[in-house]
């Protein structure tokens, strides 16, 4: 917007926990293979990926999935982890970032 950023407008974002996602190979005598490390929804622990629509709960800084927000938060507008009452302005739907490749979706 071209306006100066004020300290009170800064939101501290809490990153979700990291989880190691692994799969067992079907071959005999093969070990478990670690696929990747991902961030998770603060409430449901669902993996967050580029395909996930995420929601930032401003007072706590927690990031949750849009599905979690619609199922657990939107009705009573209470932060599931802290019990704090939320207002509409406390809920920020995050836009997906780009991968740096020209073919990345802009949603």
């Amino acid at each position: 917007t071209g306006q100066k950023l004020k300290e009170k407008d800064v939101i501290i974002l809490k990153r979700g926990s990291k989880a190691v996602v692994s799969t067992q190979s079907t071959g005999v005598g093969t070990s478990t293979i670690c696929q990747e490390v991902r961030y998770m929804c603060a409430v449901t622990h669902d993996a967050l990926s580029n395909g996930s629509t995420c929601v930032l709960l401003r007072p706590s800084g927690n990031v949750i999935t849009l599905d979690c927000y619609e199922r657990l938060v939107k009705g009573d507008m209470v932060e599931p982890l802290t019990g704090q009452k939320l207002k509409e302005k406390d809920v920020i739907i995050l836009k997906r970032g780009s991968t740096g490749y020209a073919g990345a979706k802009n949603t």
Side-chain angles (χ1 to χ4, degrees):
T1 62
Q3 296 178 1
K4 290 185 178 182
L5 183 63
K6 298 176 184 172
E7 187 176 348
K8 68 177 184 120
D9 295 330
V10 174
I11 301 168
I12 306 290
L13 179 72
K14 290 184 185 174
R15 289 182 161 178
S17 303
K18 289 184 179 181
V20 178
V21 179
S22 58
T23 57
Q24 187 77 22
S25 177
T26 56
V28 178
T30 57
S31 62
T32 302
I33 302 167
C34 176
Q35 286 186 328
E36 61 184 286
V37 176
R38 302 187 230 183
Y39 291 103
M40 301 185 321
C41 169
V43 177
T44 64
H45 297 129
D46 290 339
L48 301 178
S49 66
N50 280 341
S52 305
T53 303
C54 300
V55 175
L56 169 65
L57 303 177
R58 185 190 303 246
S60 65
N62 286 321
V63 177
I64 62 174
T65 62
L66 180 62
D67 183 50
C68 175
Y69 168 72
E70 290 174 345
R71 288 188 294 126
L72 302 175
V73 178
K74 195 173 186 178
D76 350 342
M77 291 302 283
V78 174
E79 220 276 23
L81 298 174
T82 65
Q84 185 174 7
K85 195 78 173 148
L86 299 171
K87 298 176 186 172
E88 286 294 324
K89 69 176 187 173
D90 294 331
V91 177
I92 302 171
I93 297 177
L94 301 176
K95 290 188 177 183
R96 194 185 126 179
S98 176
T99 61
Y101 293 100
K105 241 180 158 179
N106 292 326
T107 58

